[in-house]
């Protein structure tokens, strides 16, 4: 019996000022799968992610999520800099939602319960004792992990990651990559990771989707990606200047 | 056809096209800011009427506005009162109309200068800070993060600022008006040799309840306009650090213009013919 996909993207099209960014994108993601959407900078990866998470509207096409309970981890963490780590992580429990129905969030928590939940979520991403700090007092890697903790507060079934290792050193990147896999295993999430980092793809992805020129140029398993003869995938995997992807077309 | 005309036209063409483009960009940006602010205003009132104002951010913003702008607005209005007294006290006393100095200073301070100077101070100290803060939040995707967490940025960011400004500006205006009247009193005494009691009697005689209510109403409207334009311009910012600077400048300019227009309309409605 075929498994119902968690995420279904059908024929998404998007243009900005006459420039086509996405031209008929179709993606299906199975439960618990980690799909890496890759491509050179400016190819529309983040736009696709913003459309999937409802932050932007497509010109045409549909996005179907099997569960409304989803979350998005932003490229540069996007933590609220006027709030402490505790307030950032507990944000969705402290604020009454204005729209949507985040099912997993019961109405009221006592302060003690909030502290316990925040501690637990921070522990899941390997942090403790930083609840009173402001984001500006943390390193980039720690900020990223706090944003993970904030994202998993509602135990989401789908997490979108926008360039989760951007601006991090290789070791901090590896830590973040391991947490993406760990979160998938611990809270059973389906993930779409937008990246152009080859080490990230190798470490976390089950499947790869290469975006260029507004279209999906190659799609397949992680093992096939490094063996395929597809000129786009080959150029990207070898980080080669020779190939169909040029700077001019980006 | 005269060839020289063609040459002149071709030389002028880039400039006329440039001017045309600038005019188009300017007018579309003008309409965009107006439309966006109108939508945000509607949304702000929607949340206000739904009772979605939370007290803690409201009080924080009220404290921020009060502490940040009260000093500068007191100085501005104090000196405005002193300048008016300086201009009229000696002359009116010479003409035997010294009893009107207090009234003139008080009426001009209450009806016009106190709300305007307080508004200026709030635009400079608070409006610019609001637009810069929200523009930075927008660029750093913090506003998107709010939306992902099911929180409307208008309710969370604009509503407490809007309510705080609408409440704080009238209170600040009353304080600054008192400073302006006192400043005028001191200068009238020093320059025009007017007795303090005569000055204050003149003030009490002329100042009516509607002057005080009118000035508070004006200040409340100024506070609303300043926050709505500043936050709306901040929230529609895209790009980078240069755009944050541009947004701040635009917020200040729009707030000044909106305040000047509102000042005329309100003065006409409240005081014309009285």
């Amino acid at each position: 019996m075929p498994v119902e996909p968690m995420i279904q993207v059908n024929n998404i099209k998007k243009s900005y000022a006459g420039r086509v960014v996405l031209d008929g994108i179709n993606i299906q993601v199975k439960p618990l799968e980690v799909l890496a959407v890759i491509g050179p900078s400016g190819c529309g990866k983040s736009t696709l992610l913003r459309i999937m998470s409802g932050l932007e509207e497509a010109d045409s096409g549909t996005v179907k999520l099997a569960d409304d309970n989803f979350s998005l981890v932003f490229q540069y963490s996007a933590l609220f800099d006027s709030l402490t780590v505790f307030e950032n992580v507990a944000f969705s429990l402290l604020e009454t939602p204005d729209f949507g129905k985040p099912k997993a969030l019961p109405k009221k928590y006592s302060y003690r319960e909030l502290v316990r939940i925040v501690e637990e979520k921070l522990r899941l991403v390997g942090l403790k004792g930083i609840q009173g700090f402001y984001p500006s007092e943390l390193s980039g890697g720690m900020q990223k992990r706090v944003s993970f903790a904030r994202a998993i507060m509602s135990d989401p079934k789908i997490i979108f990651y926008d360039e989760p290792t951007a601006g991090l050193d290789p070791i901090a990147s590896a830590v973040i990559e391991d947490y993406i896999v760990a979160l998938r295993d611990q809270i059973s999430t389906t993930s779409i990771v937008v990246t152009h980092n080859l080490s990230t793809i190798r470490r976390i992805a089950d499947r790869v989707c290469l975006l260029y020129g507004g279209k999906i140029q190659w799609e397949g398993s992680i093992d096939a990606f490094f063996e395929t003869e597809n000129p786009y995938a080959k150029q990207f995997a070898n980080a080669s200047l020779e190939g169909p992807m040029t700077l001019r077309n980006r | 056809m005269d060839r020289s005309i063609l040459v002149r036209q071709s030389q002028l063409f880039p400039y006329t096209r440039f001017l045309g483009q600038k005019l188009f960009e300017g007018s579309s940006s003008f309409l965009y800011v107006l439309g966006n602010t109108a939508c945000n205003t509607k949304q702000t009132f929607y949340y206000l009427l739904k009772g979605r104002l939370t007290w803690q951010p409201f009080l924080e913003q009220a404290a921020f506005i009060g502490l940040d702008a009260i000093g500068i607005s007191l100085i501005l209005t104090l000196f405005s009162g002193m300048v008016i007294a300086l201009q009229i006290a000696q002359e009116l006393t010479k003409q035997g109309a010294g009893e009107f100095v207090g009234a003139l200073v008080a009426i001009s301070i209450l009806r016009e200068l106190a709300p305007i100077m307080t508004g200026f101070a709030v635009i400079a100290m608070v409006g610019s800070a609001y637009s810069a803060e929200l523009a930075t939040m927008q660029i750093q995707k913090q506003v998107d993060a709010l939306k992902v967490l099911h929180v409307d940025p208008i309710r969370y960011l604009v509503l407490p600022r809007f309510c705080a400004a609408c409440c704080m500006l009238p209170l600040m205006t009353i304080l600054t008006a008192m400073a302006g009247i006192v400043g005028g009193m001191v200068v009238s005494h020093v320059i025009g040799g007017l007795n303090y009691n005569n000055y204050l009697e003149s003030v009490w005689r002329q100042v009516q309840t509607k002057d005080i209510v009118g000035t508070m109403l004006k200040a409340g409207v100024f506070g609303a306009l300043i926050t709505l334009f500043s936050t709306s311009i901040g929230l529609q910012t895209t790009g980078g650090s240069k755009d944050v600077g541009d947004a701040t400048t635009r917020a200040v300019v729009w707030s000044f213009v909106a305040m000047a227009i509102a000042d005329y309309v309100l003065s006409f409605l409240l005081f014309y013919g009285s």
Side-chain angles (χ1 to χ4, degrees), chain B:
Chain B
M1 196 179 206
D2 183 2
R3 205 177 147 70
S4 63
I5 294 173
L6 279 176
V7 171
R8 277 205 303 276
Q9 278 179 345
S10 72
Q11 281 169 344
L12 278 173
F13 182 66
Y15 300 109
T16 49
R17 191 172 60 180
F18 175 76
L19 281 175
Q21 258 177 0
K22 282 283 161 199
L23 200 65
F24 175 75
E25 281 169 16
S27 49
S28 58
S29 154
F30 172 83
L31 292 174
Y32 186 62
V33 170
L34 267 189
N36 196 38
T37 308
C39 289
N40 289 353
T41 307
K42 183 184 147 223
Q43 199 70 358
T44 307
F45 276 99
Y46 166 77
Y47 284 120
L48 182 64
L49 296 174
K50 264 185 93 179
R52 293 298 313 276
L53 175 67
T54 35
W55 288 104
Q56 196 189 334
F58 166 77
L59 293 172
E60 280 169 8
Q61 291 304 326
F64 171 65
I65 295 170
L67 292 175
D68 245 41
I70 190 70
I72 187 91
S73 36
L74 279 173
I75 292 170
L76 286 174
T77 320
L78 174 78
F79 278 92
S80 301
M82 288 164 73
V83 166
I84 295 172
L86 186 72
Q87 306 262 17
I88 62 171
Q90 210 169 20
E91 202 51 43
L92 284 182
T93 317
K94 263 192 217 161
Q95 305 290 335
E99 63 193 286
F100 294 112
V101 174
L104 273 171
V105 171
I107 294 291
S108 33
I109 288 284
L110 269 174
R111 288 189 179 185
E112 199 55 44
L113 287 166
I116 281 280
M117 292 301 168
T118 310
F120 281 173
V122 170
I123 290 172
M125 304 296 287
V126 179
S128 56
Y130 280 171
S131 62
E133 185 188 354
L134 269 58
T136 309
M137 286 184 77
Q138 176 73 27
I139 284 168
Q140 291 180 347
K141 310 284 183 214
Q142 292 178 41
V143 174
D144 284 341
L146 283 175
K147 291 176 190 165
V148 170
L149 294 165
H150 306 273
V151 170
D152 189 339
I154 302 295
R155 200 269 303 160
Y156 184 72
L157 297 171
V158 179
L159 183 63
R161 286 166 171 79
F162 170 83
C163 293
C166 289
C167 293
M168 286 308 287
L169 257 84
L171 298 175
M172 287 162 69
T173 301
I174 292 300
L175 283 177
T176 57
M178 283 160 65
I181 292 168
V182 169
M185 184 174 75
V186 173
V187 171
S188 304
H189 177 71
V190 175
I191 304 284
L194 275 176
N195 185 298
Y196 289 138
N197 284 338
N198 292 347
Y199 179 94
L200 287 175
E201 257 176 46
S202 166
V203 173
W204 299 141
R205 210 168 39 242
Q206 282 300 319
V207 173
Q208 297 169 6
T209 315
K210 83 165 185 186
D211 293 319
I212 296 166
V213 173
T215 199
M216 290 177 79
L217 187 69
K218 259 189 180 183
V221 173
F222 291 169
L225 289 170
I226 293 165
T227 41
L228 287 170
F229 275 108
S230 304
T231 53
S232 298
I233 289 170
L235 284 174
Q236 74 187 40
T237 307
T238 51
S241 53
K242 183 183 173 295
D243 301 280
V244 174
D246 286 348
T248 311
T249 309
R250 278 193 299 137
V252 168
V253 171
W254 271 92
S255 302
F256 275 137
V257 173
M259 207 174 81
I261 295 169
D263 185 38
Y264 177 79
V265 173
L266 287 171
S267 296
F268 182 84
L269 294 173
L270 293 166
F271 306 119
Y272 183 68
S274 64

Side-chain angles (χ1 to χ4, degrees), chain A residues 50 79-81 95 98-99, chain B residues 52 142 144 150 152 155:
Chain A
R50 290 174 64 80
L79 295 175
F80 307 122
D81 45 20
E95 286 294 325
D98 295 313
F99 50 82
Chain B
R52 293 298 313 276
Q142 292 178 41
D144 284 341
H150 306 273
D152 189 339
R155 200 269 303 160

Side-chain angles (χ1 to χ4, degrees), chain A residues 148-177:
Chain A
F148 276 32
R150 182 175 71 182
I152 59 171
M153 203 61 183
S154 61
D155 296 326
K157 294 295 155 217
I158 299 166
I159 304 184
F160 300 109
Y161 297 90
D162 189 5
E163 306 272 9
T165 55
L168 299 180
D169 63 79
I171 297 164
S173 297
V175 170
I176 293 295
E177 288 153 9

Side-chain angles (χ1 to χ4, degrees), chain A residues 219-237:
Chain A
E219 195 177 352
S221 72
I222 183 67
D223 297 330
F225 176 70
F226 290 101
E227 289 161 11
T228 179
E229 286 303 312
N230 177 287
Y232 292 94
K234 206 170 174 183
Q235 186 188 358
F236 198 91

Side-chain angles (χ1 to χ4, degrees), chain A residues 146-208:
Chain A
V146 172
S147 76
F148 276 32
R150 182 175 71 182
I152 59 171
M153 203 61 183
S154 61
D155 296 326
K157 294 295 155 217
I158 299 166
I159 304 184
F160 300 109
Y161 297 90
D162 189 5
E163 306 272 9
T165 55
L168 299 180
D169 63 79
I171 297 164
S173 297
V175 170
I176 293 295
E177 288 153 9
D178 287 349
Y179 278 118
I180 292 175
V181 177
L183 289 178
R184 188 262 310 265
D185 298 338
Q186 287 173 20
I187 59 172
S188 306
T189 58
T190 304
S191 314
I192 291 189
V193 183
V194 156
T195 184
H196 49 221
N197 192 334
L198 282 172
S199 73
T200 306
I201 303 162
R202 270 203 190 91
R203 225 175 155 98
I204 63 170
D206 297 319
R207 203 152 59 86
V208 176

